[in-house]
Amino acid sequence: MNNTLVKIKRKLLKTRDYIEIKFFRNNENKFLKIQLKWGLCNKLHCLFSACDIALKEGYSIIEPDFGWRKSIRFSDIYDIDYFNKVMSDYNNGKDLIIPKDKVLRNKYLDFLNFKIVYNKIDLYNYSEKELTKERELCEISSKSTKHRVLGALKLKPEYEKIVNDYLSNNLDIALQIRTESDWRNYAKVKKTFDKKELVLVELEDIMKMIAKVINSQNIFFTSGENHPEIIDYLEKLNYTVSYFYNPNLEYEINAAINFEICCNAKNFIGNSRSSYSTLVAYKRANILEKDNSFIYNYDNKLHLRIDKGLYGVAYEAINKKTIIV
């Protein structure tokens, strides 16, 4: 064998040894592929589950898709570098979510045990089971994956700036109004076992409740529909009104920006049956220490939540005192 072939063989052996060490002997090349479903906050609950599974199994997660009207990526909404930096503390210093572009660029490694693990677990049900455990104990663990992931979610800088601009006006009230057409349809079929609990509450009734409890005319609202009509009604009640919706942004980017504004307002008021309202209340109480969230869908009164955003049932939200452990 001539010298040239010997040199080539040595290089190939070195390459083989490098590949074996780099890709066969660790879990860094095992990627969990997941699919998130439904609206923004339901998708986030699915993400909590996926992160919990990935941390337990030693997987990385292929950056998941978000979006309501068109597909976008996690990094189109959130700061993925910040997320990975925070979560690396619980992941042996490694990134938890791998940008999709990075994964696609490395597809040529398929023959080197580049393994994609396709998730077969119902991520939303996984989250519901974890919630059930917390609800039975009236306790929320500060060490849970959900708690850590929620704390690691930070909007991209350009969207963070929008949130800060709204908050700079000393926002007293952030209100989620659930009177959209899809919510009205949901209210027709949703059964509650407590006659005092309502699923659909009209804006006129909500504002009467607010006026009795909170002395402020500065209000931010979020709603999926009918912004001009809502503004007109609130201004007639002499409120200084603000809202955010940019038609050039995907629907769930708008939702995420509104979510953070609601989380950081002085007071938040929502419907306990809305997963959006409940997760806002959860982040306010458990991450931001703003335990000042109300519901308007029980007994025609505004009630302070004492559940730290844990319960969807209205009576439980205002009667089951929850602690963080």
Side-chain angles (χ1 to χ4, degrees), residues 157-180:
E158 58 266 41
Y159 303 143
E160 189 84 357
K161 183 180 183 302
I162 294 171
V163 173
N164 291 333
D165 287 344
Y166 275 83
L167 297 174
S168 66
N169 296 323
N170 297 318
L171 191 57
D172 290 327
I173 301 172
L175 169 66
Q176 189 200 18
I177 302 170
R178 294 306 323 253
T179 56
E180 306 96 329

Side-chain angles (χ1 to χ4, degrees), residues 5 13 16 36 50 61 71 78 89 104 112 114 126 135 166-167 187 194 237 250 277 285 293 310 315-316 321:
L5 290 175
L13 289 172
R16 184 200 66 184
L36 311 179
I61 298 173
S71 180
Y78 298 106
D89 288 344
L104 293 174
L112 298 173
F114 176 81
Y126 186 106
R135 288 165 180 163
Y166 275 83
L167 297 174
D194 188 335
L237 296 178
E250 209 286 325
S277 283
S293 301
L310 187 56
Y315 179 84
E316 294 176 341
K321 186 173 179 61

Side-chain angles (χ1 to χ4, degrees), residues 203-218:
L203 179 57
E204 179 181 357
D205 297 321
I206 296 172
M207 299 314 299
K208 288 178 181 177
M209 298 178 211
I210 292 174
K212 292 178 180 178
V213 176
I214 300 177
N215 183 25
S216 175
Q217 296 300 114
N218 179 13

Side-chain angles (χ1 to χ4, degrees), residues 2-139:
N2 62 41
N3 289 336
T4 301
L5 290 175
V6 170
K7 288 180 181 179
I8 291 173
K9 183 178 179 181
R10 285 175 180 171
K11 286 184 179 179
L12 288 172
L13 289 172
K14 286 183 179 179
T15 302
R16 184 200 66 184
D17 292 342
Y18 170 80
I19 289 171
E20 183 176 334
I21 292 170
K22 181 70 175 176
F23 297 104
F24 284 136
R25 297 181 184 175
N26 59 56
N27 287 331
E28 289 182 4
N29 59 317
K30 293 186 177 180
F31 295 89
L32 181 65
K33 184 173 179 58
I34 62 173
Q35 185 172 1
L36 311 179
K37 60 182 180 181
W38 301 328
L40 175 68
C41 288
N42 290 324
K43 286 187 175 76
L44 290 179
H45 278 288
C46 292
L47 180 65
F48 303 153
S49 302
C51 289
D52 194 54
I53 294 167
L55 290 171
K56 289 176 179 176
E57 298 296 332
Y59 301 144
S60 297
I61 298 173
I62 298 175
E63 182 182 8
D65 292 329
F66 280 73
W68 185 254
R69 291 174 180 156
K70 69 176 183 178
S71 180
I72 59 174
R73 297 179 183 177
F74 175 91
S75 58
D76 289 321
I77 305 177
Y78 298 106
D79 187 331
I80 193 170
D81 293 330
Y82 178 84
F83 178 88
N84 280 327
K85 181 179 179 181
V86 173
M87 294 305 297
S88 67
D89 288 344
Y90 318 110
N91 194 34
N92 298 316
K94 300 184 299 181
D95 289 351
L96 183 56
I97 295 181
I98 308 301
K100 186 172 285 188
D101 289 342
K102 185 175 180 180
V103 176
L104 293 174
R105 284 198 302 270
N106 287 282
K107 273 197 171 181
Y108 66 89
L109 294 172
D110 282 350
F111 71 100
L112 298 173
N113 197 33
F114 176 81
K115 184 177 181 182
I116 295 179
V117 179
Y118 292 90
N119 174 63
K120 296 181 180 180
I121 297 172
D122 188 315
L123 296 175
Y124 188 79
N125 285 345
Y126 186 106
S127 176
E128 281 295 301
K129 289 177 181 178
E130 294 300 309
L131 282 169
T132 298
K133 295 175 185 176
E134 291 179 325
R135 288 165 180 163
E136 288 173 351
L137 298 171
C138 292
E139 290 181 356

Side-chain angles (χ1 to χ4, degrees), residues 13 27 44 63 183 187-188 204 243 266 280 301:
L13 289 172
N27 287 331
L44 290 179
E63 182 182 8
W183 191 259
K188 291 176 182 178
E204 179 181 357
Y243 81 103
K266 183 177 179 181
V280 167
K301 298 175 185 176

Side-chain angles (χ1 to χ4, degrees), residues 219-270:
I219 190 167
F220 171 90
F221 76 88
T222 179
S223 178
E225 293 177 358
N226 306 320
H227 298 127
E229 292 83 358
I230 293 171
I231 292 170
D232 183 61
Y233 181 79
L234 293 177
E235 287 182 343
K236 286 180 180 177
L237 296 178
N238 296 318
Y239 281 94
T240 300
V241 185
S242 60
Y243 81 103
F244 176 80
Y245 182 76
N246 183 342
N248 295 319
L249 298 176
E250 209 286 325
Y251 188 85
E252 286 189 352
I253 296 177
N254 279 286
I257 292 170
N258 277 269
F259 182 91
E260 293 301 328
I261 294 172
C262 290
C263 283
N264 286 278
K266 183 177 179 181
N267 300 286
F268 172 68
I269 303 166

Side-chain angles (χ1 to χ4, degrees), residues 278-294:
T278 298
L279 196 57
V280 167
Y282 186 100
K283 181 170 182 176
R284 286 173 60 85
N286 301 299
I287 308 295
L288 303 176
E289 297 183 355
K290 290 178 176 287
D291 204 357
N292 205 37
S293 301
F294 299 82

